[in-house]
Amino acid sequence: MTDIPNTTQAPSATHPHPLVEMKNISISFGGIHAVDDASVDLYPGEVVALLGHNGAGKSTLIKVLSGAYRRDEGDILINGEPAEIRNPRDAKKFGIETIYQTLAVADNVDAAANLYLGRELRTKWGTLDDVAMEASTREVMGRLNPNFRRFKEPVKALSGGQRQSVAIARAILFDARILIMDEPTAALGPQETAQVGDLIKQLKREGIGIFLISHDIHDVFDLADRVFVMKNGKVVGHARTGDVTKDEVLGMIILGKVPPGAVPGPGAMKVA
Ligand SMILES: Nc1ncnc2c1ncn2[C@@H]1O[C@H](COP(=O)(O)OP(=O)(O)OP(=O)(O)O)[C@@H](O)[C@H]1O
Ligand SMILES: [Mg+2]
């Protein structure tokens, strides 16, 4: 069993429990260990990047948290309490929302309709309360993306970054406390990527914990408070971004080599 040594000074000083602890998670598909004894944690207002090459097991690990996959082994704790997450509905109950690269937005309707899709507000006469839905959409979107003005347009007319902010606003409206973003900028240009970065900083200020998954360190290093690196289903190690360089993290991703500023995990390269 591997426990995560507590190297986080700032968040752990103010929060007695991590928002999320995934401990010794394993999951296989037909004999292939997609995730093998992986442990990660996340504090409120923290951005934790999950890095690793294609096929390292990042999405699979996070799908255990979002309820898309059932783990074979390991424990999940939310706010220090054991959490049984059997399906996406369970995950939502714990305030866990996932934003996938392939955004689940409805293209032909506007931002408000997207935010309230499947949980529309109604007037006392049973008709759709468009006024209330648009007002709260403007409130939430205004917090996330103050420059957004395109409330009356179908979402398909928006830029990638703007669509991303609609998807995030929808999660916020669901009272997300834990946001999982799987390759959120993979399909975006540099300007839109910067916009998503601004959104993430705003979510941090609201105390939301964010798992940011990427196979490109350059997209996430500056945004992340800590990084966890996975390789062949195992956690190579984790570190505060202030304690390691980008090159050192690349060494973890490529070689499994853990630098002095990082904490080794079960997947660390063994030094002879
Ligand atoms: N549903 C599944 N059935 C069988 N194998 C799977 C399934 N999901 C994932 N795998 C395997 O598990 C391993 C980890 O995949 P995963 O998608 O978690 O990687 P990743 O780190 O997210 O990679 P990427 O950067 O490409 O998104 C891979 O070998 C993959 O083929
Ligand atoms: Mg993936």
Side-chain angles (χ1 to χ4, degrees):
M1 298 287 274
T2 46
D3 249 356
I4 301 171
N6 190 357
T7 58
T8 48
Q9 283 314 315
S12 60
T14 40
H15 300 283
H17 296 296
L19 193 53
V20 180
E21 278 176 278
M22 298 184 79
K23 289 182 167 180
N24 311 107
I25 303 290
S26 295
I27 172 166
S28 344
F29 300 105
I32 295 172
H33 286 289
V35 172
D36 189 359
D37 195 21
S39 301
V40 295
D41 62 356
L42 174 71
Y43 284 84
E46 191 186 31
V47 176
V48 165
L50 206 51
L51 293 162
H53 277 318
N54 294 123
K58 309 178 295 293
S59 294
T60 305
L61 175 62
I62 231 63
K63 282 178 182 170
V64 169
L65 184 62
S66 66
Y69 291 155
R70 295 288 298 272
R71 65 193 184 277
D72 297 330
E73 281 176 66
D75 297 304
I76 301 174
L77 286 84
I78 307 290
N79 289 318
E81 301 280 334
E84 200 47 60
I85 299 174
R86 289 168 298 248
N87 51 50
R89 194 183 304 253
D90 285 347
K92 276 192 198 305
K93 278 195 307 209
F94 289 104
I96 301 165
E97 291 286 339
T98 310
I99 294 175
Y100 294 103
Q101 179 193 339
T102 47
L103 283 178
V105 286
D107 268 332
N108 293 318
V109 293
D110 64 15
N114 265 282
L115 262 62
Y116 282 98
L117 200 66
R119 51 174 174 167
E120 289 80 4
L121 300 180
R122 299 207 173 259
T123 64
K124 60 183 172 186
W125 300 284
T127 55
L128 289 179
D129 193 344
D130 291 320
V131 173
M133 288 191 281
E134 191 180 325
S136 55
T137 298
R138 284 179 184 269
E139 193 273 315
V140 177
M141 289 291 290
R143 257 158 55 203
L144 286 174
N145 189 351
N147 299 320
F148 186 80
R149 297 280 178 277
R150 303 172 72 182
F151 290 100
K152 298 288 188 193
E153 295 176 57
V155 162
K156 70 176 168 209
L158 307 181
S159 75
Q162 289 170 334
R163 289 158 59 89
Q164 189 78 243
S165 56
V166 170
I168 293 171
R170 179 176 159 83
I172 301 303
L173 206 66
F174 272 115
D175 285 330
R177 303 307 304 157
I178 300 156
L179 201 58
I180 301 167
M181 301 176 82
D182 197 345
E183 309 274 359
T185 58
L188 304 183
Q191 208 181 339
E192 294 175 335
T193 299
Q195 201 176 10
V196 172
D198 290 341
L199 286 174
I200 288 172
K201 287 178 198 149
Q202 180 56 31
L203 297 170
K204 265 174 77 82
R205 284 193 282 273
E206 300 202 359
I208 293 168
I210 302 169
F211 276 121
L212 196 53
I213 300 162
S214 182
H215 61 269
D216 187 352
I217 182 176
H218 303 291
D219 279 355
V220 297
F221 191 80
D222 293 337
L223 283 171
D225 298 290
R226 287 186 298 149
V227 294
F228 280 76
V229 174
M230 290 186 74
K231 192 173 165 61
N232 302 326
K234 294 192 169 81
V235 173
V236 169
H238 66 99
R240 297 191 60 77
T241 46
D243 295 342
V244 286
T245 64
K246 267 191 199 178
D247 277 349
E248 285 174 331
V249 177
L250 274 173
M252 290 169 83
I253 295 170
I254 298 165
L255 304 169
K257 187 166 171 268
V258 180
V263 181
M269 188 175 76
K270 301 282 177 282
V271 185

